[in-house]
Amino acid sequence: IWGWANGDSQLITEWPGKTYLTLPNWVESMALLGITYLFFLRKALYLIPLLQTCTCIALVDHLIKTFAYYGSAANALPTKKPTFAFAHILFLAFGASTVISAQEVTRLLCIFKRHSLFSFGRRVDWCDGQAQTEILNQKLRSGLLFFVYCSLAYYFFQMRV
């Protein structure tokens, strides 16, 4: 995964014309919260809401990904379903979402390693502009999820203030 993330983050800086901008994903949102805490808040009072927010962001994102992969995992099973099919499908979907989440984490680490803030919130257009609907879907999905992440942060932080 580290090699993939390293190459993907480098691709964004090498071919910026093949990229598009989205709102921050879950790990980028948590990094923004962490940076905000380090530079502006720095009070122990805000540490607990920060940890609560980051935990909820990670859980919400992972649940959404798991349910998104559930259909693909169900199709991967043979036509004769085993006794524990639901648990098996859920395990497969959870595994697929974990790989994607790990890629996003390592991609962010590579961005920080390269000191390339240009890559923050950028995604590679793997279809060379041929799949505009997919890009629009990803932008809308990132906007909706970022709103959820901001709402979680507001909820946890307003409880402390």
Side-chain angles (χ1 to χ4, degrees), residues 80-92:
K80 185 179 176 195
K81 305 280 189 225
T83 307
F84 298 103
F86 175 75
H88 189 121
I89 293 168
L90 200 58
F91 179 75
L92 290 175

Side-chain angles (χ1 to χ4, degrees), residues 31-100:
L32 285 175
L33 281 169
I35 290 168
T36 302
Y37 176 79
L38 285 175
F39 288 108
F40 300 110
L41 300 176
R42 284 197 200 184
K43 294 180 182 174
L45 174 71
Y46 297 117
L47 185 58
I48 298 298
L50 174 70
L51 296 174
Q52 290 171 326
T53 302
C54 289
T55 301
C56 281
I57 286 173
L59 285 173
V60 164
D61 185 76
H62 210 67
L63 281 173
I64 289 170
K65 284 182 187 147
T66 299
F67 287 119
Y69 286 114
Y70 187 85
S72 298
N75 291 336
L77 286 180
T79 52
K80 185 179 176 195
K81 305 280 189 225
T83 307
F84 298 103
F86 175 75
H88 189 121
I89 293 168
L90 200 58
F91 179 75
L92 290 175
F94 184 79
S97 63
T98 302
V99 169
I100 297 300

Side-chain angles (χ1 to χ4, degrees), residues 10-153:
Q10 188 174 5
L11 187 64
I12 291 171
T13 55
E14 297 271 333
W15 288 316
K18 303 272 185 195
T19 65
Y20 58 94
L21 199 55
T22 64
L23 288 169
N25 63 19
W26 70 278
V27 71
E28 292 168 340
S29 296
M30 290 186 345
L32 285 175
L33 281 169
I35 290 168
T36 302
Y37 176 79
L38 285 175
F39 288 108
F40 300 110
L41 300 176
R42 284 197 200 184
K43 294 180 182 174
L45 174 71
Y46 297 117
L47 185 58
I48 298 298
L50 174 70
L51 296 174
Q52 290 171 326
T53 302
C54 289
T55 301
C56 281
I57 286 173
L59 285 173
V60 164
D61 185 76
H62 210 67
L63 281 173
I64 289 170
K65 284 182 187 147
T66 299
F67 287 119
Y69 286 114
Y70 187 85
S72 298
N75 291 336
L77 286 180
T79 52
K80 185 179 176 195
K81 305 280 189 225
T83 307
F84 298 103
F86 175 75
H88 189 121
I89 293 168
L90 200 58
F91 179 75
L92 290 175
F94 184 79
S97 63
T98 302
V99 169
I100 297 300
S101 293
Q103 289 173 342
E104 291 169 345
V105 170
T106 53
R107 184 180 164 280
L108 181 70
L109 292 174
C110 290
I111 287 171
F112 284 140
K113 183 181 88 173
R114 283 201 174 86
H115 308 289
S116 173
L117 290 181
F118 173 77
S119 301
F120 200 84
R122 288 207 168 269
R123 307 293 175 255
V124 176
D125 178 8
W126 296 106
C127 298
D128 278 340
Q130 302 300 315
Q132 291 302 315
T133 305
E134 180 59 35
I135 290 173
L136 178 63
N137 285 345
Q138 190 162 358
K139 287 181 176 186
L140 291 173
R141 187 170 44 249
S142 76
L144 179 63
L145 288 173
F146 189 66
F147 174 75
V148 170
Y149 304 151
C150 290
S151 298
L152 287 170

